[in-house]
C-alpha cells in the first residue's frame, strides 16, 4: 500500500516535469547587474489563420519590475537547423510580436510539432536569454447550423500529418464563447471525438445587438500541444435588443424631459425673475425719488 | 451730508478702515495674492499639459476640485440662509452677522463653480452646457439653480448696501479717491433715506430674503442629487439632499464663526461682535451637530446593514484604519462630538473655545466632502481593464493643492477687500428705523 503511494507521487512529479517541458509558453531568465531578465514566449493562431508569436521581456530587481523597451528579439523556428522568422523590437511595455509567414515551410519534429524560439542577446557581459515554445499546428472548422430546430455549434479539429494527410485532432477540449462588451462570455464546452475529431454543443438564447448578431468563438486556450487557437463566426442567433431610448420616457437621460419637470422649472424661473424684475423697478423708483429731492433742494 | 450727519461718530470710527491700510494689512494682502498667483500658474500648467498633471485617472475622475466645489457651495448656502433668516426674523443683535454672512455667501458662490471649470477636461466645450442643455439633466438644474442663487444674493446684498453707499457718498471728510467717491455716488442711486425710498428697499429685501431660503436649499439639494441620482454605491441614497443641506449648514455656520472671530480680532470689532453673537451661533452649531450626527448614522448604518456587495466594499474602505479610517472618524464622530462636548458645558463656552470647535467642524466638513467623493470613486461597479494601482488610488497633485489653496486665499482676499470698500458691520454706521411694509 505504502509503495503504491510513493509510486503515485513519483508518477505525478514526473508528469509535472513533462508538462513543464512541453508547456505552450516558456519563460527563461538571466541575471545582470542585479537585474534578472525574464523572457516569455507564447503562440496564438487567430480566426484568420494568422499565426503570431508574442513575447514579453522584463528586468526585475527586488520589487522593481521594468519592461525592457527597444530590445531586439530574434524569432526562430526549428531546433537544430533554425530558420530565422524575423527580428522585432519591443515597445515601451516590453512587448513584441511577429506574424509567421504561412508560405514558409517550417521544420517539424517527428510528432509534427514546430519548435519556436526567441532570443535576446542582451548587453555585453550578460548571458543570452532564450524562450521556446513547441506547437503542433491545427485548424478548427466552426459550423453553426439549426439541426431539428436546435441551434447547434459544431467544431472540427484537423491537422496536417507528416506526409500531407489530414488527421483528426482527437479528444481535445475546447471552449465556446460569445463576444460581449468587455470580455468573452463562456457559453459551453466541447470535447472533440476520438474518431473524427468533431464535437458539438447546443446554443441557448442570448441577447445580441439591435439586429440579433452575435459573434461565436471556439477556442483552445493555453494548450500544451496546440497553444492558443481560435475560430469565430458571426450569426443572427441572438435575441434582438432594442436600444431605442426614446421609448423610455421616465429615464433622466432621455432627450425629452417629463412635462411636470418643464412646468416646475418654468414656475421656478418665472417666479424668481418676476420678483427680480419688480425689485429692479423699485430700485429705479428709488433713484427717481432721489432725483426729485435733489431737484427740489 | 444729510444721512451721514446722523451717524457721524460711528463714521469717524470706521473711516480709517476704508481710507488706509496698515503695513500688516498690505503684507496679508500680498501673501494672499502670492498664493492666488501660484494657483494661476498651476491652472496655466494644467491647461497647457492636460489633466495628466492632476491626480485624476480612470477611476477617480472627480478630485479635490469637486471637493472644494461642494465645500464652498455649502459655505455659500449657510451664509445665504443665515442672512435671510436673520433679515426676516429681525432680532436686535442681527446686524454684525448679516452683512458678513451675505458676503460669505456671494464669494463662496463665485469661487465654488470655478472649481468645476478646473475639473472640466475640455474647457472649449463649456458653452455646450448651455447650447445643448437638457432639462432632464441634474447638471442643467445645477447650472440654473446656482446662477439664480448668485444673482438673487448679489441683489439682496446690494439692497442692504444702498444705505451704506449713500452715507459714504455724503460724508465729505472721507479721504478716499475721487473715483471711489464717484463709485459710491453711482451705487447709492440717489438714496436719501426718505420714508418712500426706505419702504421700497424693505419690500425688496423682504421678497428676496423669502426667495433666498428655498433657493439655497434647492441649490444644495441639486448638488446632492448630482451624486444621489447615480447608481454608484455610496451615492445612491434617498437622504442625500437633506444630508447635504444639514452638513453644509453645519460647516457653513462654523465657517461664519471663524470669519466673525477673524474680523473681531484683526479689525478690533470687540465692541460690536460680542460673546452674545458667538453664543447664539454656538447654540445653532450644537443643534446642527445633533442633526448631522443623526443623518450620518442613518446613512452609514443602513448601508452597512443592507450588506450590499459594493456598499460593504465602500464601508470597509472607510473603516480601514490604515487608509481612510482616521479621516472618517474625524469627519463623522469628532466633528459631531467636539461641539457637543465643548459647547454643551456653559463653563467651557468662551469665544476661543467656540472658535476652536468651529475650526474642527469646518475642517471636518471639508474632509467629509473628500470622503463622499474619493473613496466612493475608488470603489467602482465595473472593473476597468488593464487598470493600474495609480488609477485606483487617488493622490492629489501639487497642481490641485495649489489651486485649492488659491481658492481659500481668494475667499480671504475678497472678504478683506470688501471690508476696505464698505463697512462690513452695518450697525456701525447705518442706524435705520424699521419700516412696516407688506410683501
Amino acid at each position: 500500500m505504502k509503495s503504491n503511494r510513493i509510486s503515485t507521487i513519483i508518477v505525478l512529479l514526473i508528469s509535472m516535469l513533462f508538462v513543464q517541458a512541453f508547456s505552450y509558453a516558456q519563460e527563461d531568465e538571466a541575471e545582470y547587474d542585479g537585474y534578472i531578465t525574464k523572457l516569455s514566449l507564447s503562440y496564438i493562431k487567430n480566426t484568420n489563420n494568422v499565426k503570431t508569436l508574442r513575447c514579453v521581456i522584463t528586468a526585475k530587481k527586488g520589487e522593481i519590475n521594468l519592461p525592457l523597451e527597444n530590445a531586439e528579439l530574434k524569432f526562430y523556428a526549428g531546433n537544430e537547423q533554425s530558420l530565422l522568422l524575423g527580428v522585432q523590437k519591443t515597445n515601451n511595455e516590453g512587448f513584441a510580436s511577429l506574424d509567421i509567414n504561412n508560405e514558409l515551410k517550417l521544420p517539424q519534429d517527428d510528432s509534427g510539432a514546430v519548435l519556436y524560439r526567441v532570443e535576446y542577446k542582451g548587453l555585453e557581459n550578460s548571458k543570452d536569454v532564450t524562450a521556446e515554445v513547441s506547437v503542433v499546428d491545427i485548424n478548427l472548422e466552426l459550423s453553426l447550423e439549426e439541426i431539428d430546430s436546435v441551434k447547434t455549434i459544431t467544431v472540427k479539429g484537423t491537422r496536417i500529418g507528416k506526409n500531407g494527410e489530414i488527421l483528426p485532432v482527437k479528444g481535445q477540449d475546447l471552449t465556446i464563447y460569445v463576444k460581449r462588451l468587455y470580455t468573452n462570455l463562456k457559453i459551453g464546452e466541447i470535447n472533440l471525438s476520438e474518431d473524427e475529431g468533431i464535437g458539438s454543443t447546443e446554443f441557448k438564447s442570448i441577447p445580441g445587438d439591435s439586429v440579433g448578431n452575435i459573434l461565436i468563438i471556439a477556442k483552445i486556450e493555453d494548450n500544451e500541444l496546440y497553444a492558443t487557437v481560435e475560430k469565430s463566426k458571426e450569426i443572427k442567433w441572438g435575441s434582438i435588443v432594442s436600444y431605442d431610448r426614446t421609448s423610455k420616457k421616465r429615464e433622466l437621460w432621455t432627450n425629452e424631459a417629463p412635462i411636470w419637470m418643464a412646468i416646475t422649472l418654468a414656475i421656478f424661473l418665472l417666479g424668481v425673475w418676476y420678483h427680480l424684475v419688480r425689485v429692479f423697478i423699485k430700485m429705479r423708483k428709488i433713484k427717481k425719488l432721489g432725483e426729485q429731492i435733489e431737484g427740489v433742494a | 451730508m444729510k444721512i451721514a450727519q446722523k451717524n457721524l461718530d460711528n463714521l469717524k470710527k470706521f473711516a480709517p478702515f476704508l481710507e488706509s491700510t496698515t503695513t500688516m494689512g498690505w503684507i496679508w494682502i500680498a501673501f494672499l495674492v502670492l498664493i492666488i498667483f501660484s494657483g494661476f500658474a498651476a491652472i496655466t500648467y494644467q491647461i497647457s499639459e492636460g489633466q495628466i498633471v492632476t491626480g485624476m485617472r480612470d477611476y477617480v475622475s472627480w478630485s479635490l476640485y469637486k471637493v472644494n466645489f461642494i465645500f464652498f457651495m455649502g459655505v455659500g448656502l449657510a451664509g445665504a440662509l443665515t442672512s435671510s433668516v436673520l433679515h426676516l426674523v429681525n432680532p436686535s443683535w442681527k446686524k454684525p452677522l448679516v452683512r458678513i454672512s451675505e458676503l460669505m455667501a456671494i464669494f463662496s458662490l463665485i469661487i465654488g463653480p470655478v472649481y468645476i471649470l478646473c475639473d472640466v477636461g475640455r474647457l472649449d466645450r463649456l458653452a455646450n452646457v448651455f447650447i445643448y442643455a437638457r432639462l432632464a439633466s441634474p447638471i442643467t438644474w445645477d447650472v440654473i439653480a446656482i446662477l439664480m442663487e448668485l444673482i438673487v444674493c448679489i441683489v439682496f446684498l446690494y439692497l442692504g448696501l444702498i444705505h451704506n453707499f449713500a452715507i459714504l457718498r455724503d460724508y465729505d471728510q472721507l479721504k478716499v479717491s475721487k473715483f471711489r467717491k464717484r463709485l459710491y455716488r453711482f451705487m447709492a442711486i440717489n438714496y436719501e433715506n426718505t420714508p418712500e425710498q426706505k419702504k421700497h428697499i424693505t419690500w425688496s429685501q423682504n421678497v428676496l430674503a423669502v426667495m433666498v431660503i428655498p433657493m439655497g436649499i434647492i441649490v444644495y439639494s441639486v448638488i446632492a442629487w448630482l451624486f444621489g441620482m447615480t447608481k454608484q454605491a455610496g451615492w445612491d441614497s434617498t437622504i442625500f439632499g437633506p444630508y447635504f443641506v444639514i452638513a453644509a449648514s453645519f460647516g457653513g455656520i462654523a465657517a461664519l464663526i471663524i470669519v466673525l472671530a477673524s474680523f473681531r480680532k484683526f479689525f478690533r470689532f470687540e465692541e460690536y461682535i460680542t460673546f452674545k453673537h458667538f453664543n447664539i451661533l454656538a447654540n445653532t452649531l450644537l443643534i446642527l451637530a445633533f442633526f448631522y450626527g443623526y443623518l450620518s448614522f442613518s446613512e452609514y448604518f443602513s448601508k452597512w446593514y443592507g450588506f450590499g456587495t459594493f456598499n460593504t466594499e465602500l464601508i470597509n474602505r472607510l473603516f480601514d484604519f490604515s487608509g481612510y479610517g482616521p479621516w472618517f472618524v474625524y469627519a463623522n464622530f469628532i466633528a459631531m462630538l467636539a461641539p457637543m462636548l465643548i459647547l454643551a458645558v456653559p463653563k467651557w463656552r468662551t469665544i476661543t473655545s467656540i472658535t476652536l470647535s468651529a475650526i474642527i467642524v469646518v475642517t471636518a466638513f471639508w474632509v467629509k466632502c473628500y470622503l463622499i467623493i474619493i473613496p466612493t470613486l475608488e470603489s467602482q461597479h465595473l472593473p476597468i481593464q488593464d487598470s493600474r494601482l495609480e488609477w485606483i488610488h487617488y493622490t492629489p497633485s501639487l497642481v490641485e493643492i495649489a489651486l485649492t489653496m488659491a481658492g481659500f486665499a481668494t475667499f480671504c482676499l475678497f472678504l478683506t477687500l470688501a471690508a476696505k470698500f464698505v463697512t462690513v458691520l452695518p450697525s456701525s454706521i447705518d442706524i435705520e428705523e424699521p419700516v412696516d411694509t407688506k410683501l
Side-chain angles (χ1 to χ4, degrees):
Chain A
M1 190 70 182
K2 200 176 176 184
S3 63
N4 268 350
R5 254 187 222 166
I6 292 168
S7 59
T8 312
I9 291 166
I10 290 168
V11 167
L12 271 172
L13 285 171
I14 289 168
S15 58
M16 279 169 74
L17 284 171
F18 183 81
V19 168
Q20 185 66 31
F22 288 94
S23 170
Y24 84 99
Q26 194 198 341
E27 281 191 358
D28 187 23
E29 55 186 47
E31 190 173 348
Y32 175 71
D33 197 20
Y35 279 93
I36 297 169
T37 311
K38 266 191 169 183
L39 183 63
S40 70
L41 177 67
S42 61
Y43 168 100
I44 184 165
K45 184 175 183 181
N46 74 11
T47 191
N48 299 321
N49 293 326
V50 177
K51 291 174 270 186
T52 307
L53 291 170
R54 290 177 175 181
C55 193
V56 176
I57 183 162
T58 56
K60 194 177 181 188
K61 187 181 190 179
E63 291 299 306
I64 306 165
N65 195 9
L66 297 170
L68 286 186
E69 188 178 354
N70 235 9
E72 192 178 271
L73 302 175
K74 287 183 178 171
F75 294 83
Y76 296 95
N79 196 357
E80 286 163 8
Q81 288 178 324
S82 291
L83 172 68
L84 180 66
L85 298 172
V87 181
Q88 292 287 328
K89 284 195 172 178
T90 53
N91 64 11
N92 60 351
E93 293 182 340
F95 174 81
S97 69
L98 180 87
D99 291 344
I100 300 163
N101 185 352
N102 282 338
E103 303 292 319
L104 288 173
K105 182 155 178 60
L106 303 172
Q108 297 178 354
D109 64 11
D110 292 343
S111 65
V114 178
L115 184 75
Y116 295 102
R117 196 170 81 250
V118 61
E119 273 181 15
Y120 173 58
K121 286 285 177 193
L123 301 167
E124 211 178 320
N125 304 327
S126 71
K127 279 204 307 185
D128 295 357
V129 198
T130 311
E132 293 175 344
V133 59
S134 176
V135 181
V136 174
D137 183 31
I138 61 164
N139 287 311
L140 294 179
E141 284 173 39
L142 177 66
S143 59
L144 308 168
E145 291 171 309
E146 281 198 37
I147 303 167
D148 296 333
S149 305
V150 177
K151 289 169 181 163
T152 309
I153 301 165
T154 307
V155 181
K156 184 179 180 187
T158 55
R159 68 187 182 92
I160 309 289
K162 217 174 176 186
N163 303 317
E165 73 276 27
I166 294 173
L167 301 171
V169 176
K170 296 175 182 176
Q172 179 59 46
D173 289 327
L174 47 83
T175 316
I176 306 295
Y177 293 99
V178 167
K179 188 172 169 54
R180 302 281 87 176
L181 183 62
Y182 288 102
T183 183
N184 294 335
L185 173 71
K186 183 179 171 182
I187 58 163
E189 283 178 351
I190 287 178
N191 179 261
L192 300 182
S193 62
E194 290 291 344
D195 48 359
E196 290 177 293
I198 297 175
S200 61
T201 186
E202 186 186 335
F203 175 84
K204 286 170 185 165
S205 179
I206 201 166
D209 61 12
S210 56
V211 289
N213 279 331
I214 50 163
L215 188 76
I216 294 176
I217 305 161
K219 201 170 184 182
I220 296 173
E221 288 170 290
D222 302 350
N223 186 268
E224 62 201 46
L225 282 175
Y226 312 122
T228 301
V229 185
E230 69 173 48
K231 201 80 188 173
S232 61
K233 262 187 186 173
E234 195 174 67
I235 192 163
K236 282 188 184 178
W237 276 3
S239 53
I240 294 171
V241 178
S242 170
Y243 293 104
D244 180 17
R245 288 179 177 162
T246 52
S247 60
K248 296 175 185 173
K249 301 282 185 192
R250 285 194 64 225
E251 286 172 351
L252 283 175
W253 46 84
T254 52
N255 286 325
E256 294 167 31
I259 191 75
W260 63 264
M261 200 177 272
I263 293 170
T264 309
L265 187 73
I267 291 171
F268 171 72
L269 287 177
L270 284 173
V272 171
W273 278 107
Y274 168 75
H275 287 100
L276 271 176
V277 168
R278 283 199 67 181
V279 168
F280 293 142
I281 292 168
K282 294 263 177 201
M283 280 157 60
R284 199 176 152 78
K285 278 182 185 170
I286 291 168
K287 196 173 181 183
K288 279 194 174 172
L289 283 166
E291 277 169 8
Q292 283 168 13
I293 292 166
E294 277 182 3
V296 172
Chain B
M1 193 65 191
K2 292 142 279 186
I3 305 176
Q5 266 174 350
K6 284 188 187 176
N7 307 293
L8 210 56
D9 289 343
N10 282 319
L11 268 174
K12 278 179 186 168
K13 269 187 200 171
F14 281 86
F17 290 116
L18 307 172
E19 288 168 344
S20 61
T21 306
T22 61
T23 313
M24 276 309 291
W26 281 118
I27 292 171
W28 168 243
I29 290 170
F31 170 69
L32 295 175
V33 169
L34 198 69
I35 297 173
I36 293 165
F37 266 109
S38 73
F40 270 116
I43 193 69
T44 312
Y45 180 57
Q46 184 185 305
I47 290 169
S48 64
E49 296 294 315
Q51 298 215 335
I52 192 71
V53 299
T54 69
M56 288 188 279
R57 293 293 182 270
D58 290 39
Y59 276 68
V60 181
S61 52
W62 285 352
S63 64
L64 277 195
Y65 299 144
K66 193 84 179 173
V67 173
N68 294 328
F69 167 69
I70 301 174
F71 177 84
F72 278 108
M73 296 310 289
V75 173
L77 166 75
L81 287 185
T82 309
S83 60
S84 51
V85 169
L86 286 177
H87 179 83
L88 292 171
V89 178
N90 200 23
S92 57
W93 44 264
K94 74 167 188 183
K95 288 199 169 174
L97 303 185
V98 171
R99 193 159 295 160
I100 289 177
S101 50
E102 281 169 6
L103 289 169
M104 251 179 61
I106 289 170
F107 298 151
S108 301
L109 288 171
I110 292 169
I111 295 166
V114 173
Y115 279 108
I116 294 294
L117 304 184
C118 298
D119 200 81
V120 174
R122 294 286 303 267
L123 277 173
D124 54 314
R125 294 182 181 173
L126 192 67
N128 291 357
V129 175
F130 301 95
I131 299 167
Y132 303 107
R134 289 195 305 114
L135 203 54
S137 163
I139 291 173
T140 306
W141 310 341
D142 212 19
V143 171
I144 293 170
I146 292 172
L147 280 175
M148 290 289 96
E149 171 84 346
L150 184 61
I151 292 167
V152 170
C153 280
I154 289 172
V155 178
F156 185 56
L157 171 73
Y158 176 65
L159 286 166
L161 281 173
I162 290 174
H163 191 251
N164 191 279
F165 287 132
I167 293 165
L168 296 171
R169 173 199 65 196
D170 292 350
Y171 184 45
D172 295 334
Q173 289 161 36
L174 190 68
K175 291 169 194 151
V176 293
S177 66
K178 277 185 181 174
F179 171 75
R180 214 157 122 180
K181 270 276 181 189
R182 254 184 255 150
L183 200 60
Y184 286 142
R185 180 173 296 282
F186 175 75
M187 302 289 271
I189 52 167
N190 298 333
Y191 187 76
E192 295 294 342
N193 204 25
T194 65
E196 191 73 9
Q197 284 178 318
K198 274 160 80 174
K199 202 173 167 181
H200 287 311
I201 284 198
T202 312
W203 183 92
S204 304
Q205 280 182 309
N206 288 349
V207 165
L208 295 187
V210 169
M211 278 164 46
V212 162
I213 298 169
M215 280 180 71
I217 293 170
I218 288 171
V219 167
Y220 216 60
S221 299
V222 168
I223 291 171
W225 292 337
L226 284 180
F227 300 92
M229 297 291 180
T230 65
K231 294 296 286 174
Q232 175 74 46
W235 291 345
D236 184 18
S237 166
T238 51
I239 63 162
F240 246 37
Y243 188 28
F244 264 54
V245 170
I246 291 294
S249 307
F250 187 44
I253 293 289
L256 179 60
I257 292 174
I258 297 170
V259 172
L260 277 182
S262 307
F263 271 113
R264 187 177 188 273
K265 173 106 179 141
F266 299 114
F267 282 74
R268 303 201 179 287
F269 286 164
E270 288 91 346
E271 196 185 329
Y272 306 98
I273 304 172
T274 62
F275 175 73
K276 187 180 178 181
H277 297 108
F278 283 93
N279 196 33
I280 291 160
L281 289 173
N283 282 331
T284 316
L285 204 63
L286 193 58
I287 295 164
L288 286 169
F290 282 106
F291 277 110
Y292 176 70
Y294 165 65
L295 286 172
S296 294
F297 180 76
S298 176
E299 171 69 10
Y300 290 109
F301 183 60
S302 56
K303 275 190 174 54
W304 173 79
Y305 202 84
F307 209 65
T309 312
F310 298 106
N311 277 332
T312 309
E313 190 191 320
L314 178 65
I315 295 283
N316 288 342
R317 202 181 281 269
L318 289 173
F319 278 96
D320 175 13
F321 276 79
S322 60
Y324 293 113
W327 296 110
F328 184 77
V329 169
Y330 182 68
N332 291 286
F333 293 97
I334 296 174
M336 180 186 65
L337 294 174
M340 287 183 189
L341 291 174
I342 297 170
L343 307 176
V345 183
K347 258 191 185 176
W348 294 352
R349 269 197 195 194
T350 59
I351 291 177
T352 312
S353 70
I354 293 168
T355 310
L356 183 72
S357 57
I359 290 170
I360 293 172
V361 172
V362 167
T363 47
F365 176 50
W366 191 89
V367 173
K368 177 77 182 173
C369 298
Y370 190 95
L371 291 179
I372 285 175
I373 296 172
I374 309 298
T376 312
L377 285 174
E378 287 175 353
S379 320
Q380 290 282 350
H381 272 182
L382 291 171
I384 297 175
Q385 288 182 330
D386 190 27
S387 60
R388 296 156 197 192
L389 209 61
E390 68 266 25
W391 292 3
I392 302 168
H393 298 292
Y394 169 75
T395 311
S397 70
L398 275 176
V399 169
E400 289 160 294
I401 293 167
L403 278 163
T404 301
M405 287 169 63
F408 283 93
T410 310
F411 182 76
C412 295
L413 184 69
F414 280 176
L415 276 178
T416 310
L417 294 181
K420 307 297 308 170
F421 186 67
V422 291
T423 48
V424 288
L425 300 182
S427 62
S428 57
I429 56 171
D430 313 357
I431 297 168
E432 298 169 79
E433 290 82 35
V435 178
D436 288 332
T437 182
K438 288 176 187 170
L439 280 179

